[in-house]
Amino acid sequence: MARAELTDRVVAVRERIARAGGDPDGVTIVAVTKGFGAEVVADAVATGLADIGENYAQELLGKAAEVLDVRWHFVGAIQRNKVKALAPVVHLWHAVDRASVADEIARRAPGAAVLVQVNLTDDPHRAGCPWSEVGDVVAHAAGVGLDVRGLMAIGPPGPPDAARPGFRRVRETADALGLADCSMGMTADLEVAVAEGATIVRVGTALFGPRSARREMRR
């Protein structure tokens, strides 16, 4: 994919944010480059996307060694044994879901910026802490010295509007806890997320194409 095409796609995502009622300059786009090489990260940065998200520790670390001037967001499930290696490069941890993870991040990266991930449906097979534990996890993370910026959530399967009640509750809960940020919304449901108060959206496919085609992408 040429940089010009990627630039057009970035513009299209910002237009989607605006149409949903969000401020294109106020909603952070985290470009999720899972499955792409470092050259695609470099292209994304060249278009002005300084915030790059990765799901896997080794993939993030490999790209971070090749591409500078990136704010790396770790958006995947956090394994405690990977925190030490990631700590020097992660700008924002999106998926703190239990006290033990907060403890490990605080030990390896004192004062790190984090989001607490909420399981919107309390489905034990999905990531995130149950609604009943959100306040406790936020308080614990803050208590061990982390900079708790807000909450993070992944919409449930199904049509985009199915995520609306959960996203609305995330925003309301963040407000009640005095937290500014809500990381919610991806390619399929970002309009719903923005309309319900997202300040961060995590976008991959809308920028870089379907995951199955990623190996074919080149600068």
Side-chain angles (χ1 to χ4, degrees):
M1 178 185 295
R3 282 187 181 175
E5 183 179 350
L6 179 56
T7 298
D8 289 343
R9 292 187 176 204
V10 173
V11 170
V13 170
R14 295 195 188 282
E15 289 174 346
R16 289 176 64 185
I17 290 170
R19 287 197 299 271
D23 177 1
D25 296 320
V27 175
T28 299
I29 298 172
V30 175
V32 180
T33 54
K34 177 176 67 173
F36 288 115
E39 72 279 1
V40 174
V41 176
D43 286 345
V45 172
T47 69
L49 293 171
D51 295 273
I52 305 296
E54 290 291 340
N55 291 68
Y56 303 115
Q58 289 308 118
E59 196 169 346
L60 187 155
L61 293 169
K63 294 170 188 177
E66 297 187 50
V67 187
L68 305 179
D69 299 321
V70 173
R71 289 190 293 265
W72 293 103
H73 295 242
F74 194 70
V75 300
I78 302 169
Q79 297 174 288
R80 282 180 292 166
N81 64 341
K82 304 292 186 183
V83 170
K84 180 179 179 180
L86 289 168
V89 294
V90 171
H91 168 74
L92 180 62
W93 303 81
H94 281 238
V96 173
D97 61 357
R98 57 196 185 279
S100 59
V101 167
D103 290 341
E104 187 64 16
I105 295 173
R107 186 162 77 95
R108 300 296 185 180
V114 304
L115 304 173
V116 169
Q117 183 177 3
V118 184
N119 182 334
L120 295 186
T121 61
D122 283 342
D123 180 344
H125 300 293
R126 292 177 64 81
C129 66
W131 285 107
S132 61
E133 298 177 11
V134 173
D136 289 341
V137 176
V138 167
H140 182 90
V144 296
L146 296 177
D147 178 11
V148 184
R149 300 278 181 86
L151 304 179
M152 178 270 220
I154 299 171
D161 214 53
R164 189 176 300 279
F167 286 164
R168 181 173 300 165
R169 188 176 179 185
V170 169
R171 182 70 264 174
E172 291 171 349
T173 302
D175 290 343
L177 293 170
L179 302 174
D181 284 319
C182 287
S183 171
M184 54 191 191
M186 296 187 284
T187 291
D189 57 12
L190 73 85
E191 284 90 352
V192 174
V194 169
E196 296 301 335
T199 60
I200 302 169
V201 293
R202 308 177 305 275
V203 183
T205 303
L207 295 171
F208 309 116
R211 190 169 304 162
S212 60
R214 290 182 175 183
R215 293 180 178 272
E216 300 173 11
M217 296 184 63
R218 295 293 185 270
R219 184 181 304 178

